[in-house]
Amino acid sequence: MTDRVLGVLGGMGPLASAQFMLRLTLLTPAARDQDHIPAVLWSDPRVPDRGAARLGTGPSPLPWLMRGINGLRAAGCGTIAIPCNTAHGWFEPMVRDAGVPILHIVDAAATDLRRIGIAGGTIGLMGTAATLAMKLYQDRLNAQGWDIIEPEPQQMERLVTPAIASVKANRVAEAYLPLAEVVNSLASRGALAVVLGCTEIPLGIQAGPADGLRVPVVDTIDALARAAIAWARPGTVG
Amino acid sequence: MTDRVLGVLGGMGPLASAQFMLRLTLLTPAARDQDHIPAVLWSDPRVPDRGAARLGTGPSPLPWLMRGINGLRAAGCGTIAIPCNTAHGWFEPMVRDAGVPILHIVDAAATDLRRIGIAGGTIGLMGTAATLAMKLYQDRLNAQGWDIIEPEPQQMERLVTPAIASVKANRVAEAYLPLAEVVNSLASRGALAVVLGCTEIPLGIQAGPADGLRVPVVDTIDALARAAIAWARPGTVG
């Protein structure tokens, strides 16, 4: 039994944060309710669009993010996980004022790449246009020894961006084919694995057959859940 | 866009409350993140076992339940949903001190029975031994015109109770066959539908083929999610 209460800053999108709670539960070694990790999920889908803010066409989400963090801290949470990649564009200002540690989703993805045996070489990266533009993954992963390739701009426009919007609108099954096409295109360009660097992308990928993908993918929802379990239960996950 | 923030008192078990968040999201009419319902999930799996407390063999969960309710109220929640049937055994003391309304899962199940066209007649009821013993469903549903039949005591011991424990231990697939056997046994005794009056049971039932069930089932996770959406968005669900 643990007294470490996990805070989850979610709602971005709400399906991804619900899936995070599900995966957090399923990945936790447990034999009964009382073995699971106490957690508070602050699911606020009203947070202004992170992509629009990053591209300069919408208001900053930071005040909304801080409101959630303060709510989670008031609820007694000892660390915070944010199952939204794009929101990590505000990681530094959040960490500065949070008063509690925040797990970084890119570090969680790097740990997961090593877990599946890909400790270096070329990997593909998929995410929102904003996540790719802000170099959220590229800088941190380059520094740890991976080379990164990204979808072509027209693949972003035609395939990735519409598929992410489909998931946010609950049309998950439609997202599989366009996303799988991009995974396989990155594989044909030499990627040993593809990091699904937007929490909506794994939901679309899971809506179709896994054998339609030519390389392994890193699900950043699962990666972040594993990092959260490692925090709550040191020593239980590798 | 709504300003009604839903409070979810969960963790009993944690898989059921994560599933509740997922179904809340998927059942909400939405085209983008900002159309979804703001919610705070207080997932505290440390709440003492509700069944043991009801049977007099364990401590009361009420102080833990009230702690969660107070936390949700402090977070700004305007009403509370509790995706755990057995916890509704403490509904009256919770409501008395909550300071905000609490949706009743049995009323949500009754609404769902009518939604699928079963407005009266005999229905089956499955749940924990504690839920059945405290007559949580029977009294409220009898009063609204349904006759209730329950699994035989040896079916509870051999099939239902172990299947619920399997789900709480993340062994969801094992739960399907014993639960489906009980659904079909109730059908053969005349049930027009079966209410799955424990939030772990639908998770086990969904782990196998729907065409293995001879009558419709009411998923109390979905029923409670629909009631929550009706509160947050009056007029959007039937």
Side-chain angles (χ1 to χ4, degrees):
Chain A
M1 199 152 122
T2 179
D3 282 303
R4 292 188 158 194
V5 180
L6 177 70
V8 183
L9 185 61
M12 306 173 281
L15 198 59
S17 46
Q19 176 74 4
F20 176 84
M21 297 305 295
L22 209 60
R23 297 299 296 161
L24 177 74
T25 305
L26 289 172
L27 292 169
T28 299
R32 51 182 195 138
D33 283 359
Q34 290 75 16
D35 296 333
H36 284 277
I37 297 167
V40 179
L41 164 63
W42 187 282
S43 180
D44 196 342
R46 297 168 300 181
V47 176
D49 187 81
R50 283 70 60 198
R54 185 51 59 175
L55 302 171
T57 59
S60 171
L62 188 59
W64 292 78
L65 297 170
M66 289 313 305
R67 194 167 92 152
I69 288 170
N70 291 333
L72 290 168
R73 200 176 43 186
C77 298
T79 204
I80 289 172
I82 309 176
C84 171
N85 282 276
T86 314
H88 285 73
W90 289 266
F91 188 79
E92 276 70 29
M94 285 192 287
V95 150
R96 196 176 50 228
D97 293 334
V100 289
I102 303 178
L103 302 172
H104 199 299
I105 200 165
V106 177
D107 295 337
T111 300
D112 218 46
L113 276 168
R114 289 188 206 97
R115 189 182 62 83
I116 63 171
I118 300 181
T122 299
I123 58 167
L125 172 66
M126 292 167 66
T128 62
T131 296
L132 300 185
M134 70 175 81
K135 305 279 175 204
L136 189 68
Y137 274 82
Q138 295 90 321
D139 294 344
R140 275 177 119 93
L141 294 187
N142 284 156
Q144 297 182 53
W146 286 284
D147 295 317
I148 313 291
I149 59 174
E150 300 173 24
E152 305 290 348
Q154 81 278 12
Q155 290 178 315
M156 287 299 298
E157 269 177 52
R158 186 172 60 86
L159 302 168
V160 179
T161 302
I164 292 170
S166 292
V167 173
K168 287 182 184 287
N170 290 341
R171 301 191 314 273
V172 176
E174 288 174 29
Y176 174 76
L177 279 178
L179 294 172
E181 181 179 333
V182 178
V183 169
N184 291 334
S185 163
L186 290 163
S188 70
R189 289 167 53 199
L192 302 171
V194 175
V195 172
L196 308 180
C198 165
T199 47
E200 272 65 37
I201 295 178
L203 302 173
I205 285 287
Q206 285 158 18
D211 61 8
L213 307 177
R214 291 174 38 204
V215 289
V217 292
V218 166
D219 177 338
T220 47
I221 295 179
D222 274 22
L224 188 63
R226 288 180 201 279
I229 296 165
W231 169 75
R233 302 284 170 78
T236 56
V237 286
Chain B
M1 197 153 123
T2 179
D3 283 303
R4 292 188 158 193
V5 180
L6 177 70
V8 183
L9 184 61
M12 306 173 283
L15 198 60
S17 47
Q19 176 75 2
F20 176 83
M21 297 306 294
L22 208 60
R23 297 298 297 162
L24 177 74
T25 305
L26 289 171
L27 292 169
T28 299
R32 49 179 198 141
D33 283 358
Q34 290 75 16
D35 295 334
H36 285 277
I37 296 167
V40 179
L41 165 63
W42 186 283
S43 180
D44 195 343
R46 296 168 301 180
V47 176
D49 186 82
R50 283 69 61 198
R54 185 51 60 174
L55 302 170
T57 59
S60 171
L62 188 59
W64 292 78
L65 297 171
M66 289 313 304
R67 194 168 92 150
I69 288 170
N70 291 333
L72 291 168
R73 200 176 45 186
C77 298
T79 203
I80 288 172
I82 308 175
C84 171
N85 281 275
T86 313
H88 285 73
W90 290 267
F91 189 79
E92 277 71 28
M94 285 192 286
V95 149
R96 195 175 53 228
D97 293 332
V100 288
I102 303 178
L103 302 171
H104 199 299
I105 200 166
V106 178
D107 295 338
T111 301
D112 217 47
L113 277 168
R114 291 188 203 97
R115 188 182 63 84
I116 64 171
I118 300 181
T122 299
I123 58 167
L125 171 66
M126 290 166 67
T128 62
T131 297
L132 299 186
M134 71 175 81
K135 305 279 175 205
L136 189 69
Y137 274 82
Q138 294 91 321
D139 294 344
R140 275 177 117 94
L141 294 186
N142 285 157
Q144 298 182 54
W146 287 284
D147 294 317
I148 312 290
I149 58 174
E150 300 172 24
E152 305 290 348
Q154 83 277 13
Q155 289 178 316
M156 288 298 298
E157 269 178 52
R158 186 173 60 86
L159 301 168
V160 179
T161 302
I164 292 170
S166 292
V167 173
K168 288 184 183 285
N170 289 342
R171 301 191 312 274
V172 176
E174 289 175 27
Y176 174 77
L177 278 179
L179 294 172
E181 181 180 334
V182 178
V183 169
N184 291 333
S185 163
L186 290 164
S188 70
R189 289 166 55 200
L192 302 171
V194 175
V195 173
L196 308 180
C198 166
T199 47
E200 272 64 38
I201 296 178
L203 301 173
I205 285 287
Q206 285 158 17
D211 62 8
L213 307 177
R214 291 174 38 204
V215 289
V217 292
V218 166
D219 177 337
T220 47
I221 296 179
D222 275 20
L224 188 63
R226 289 180 201 279
I229 296 166
W231 169 75
R233 302 284 169 79
T236 56
V237 286

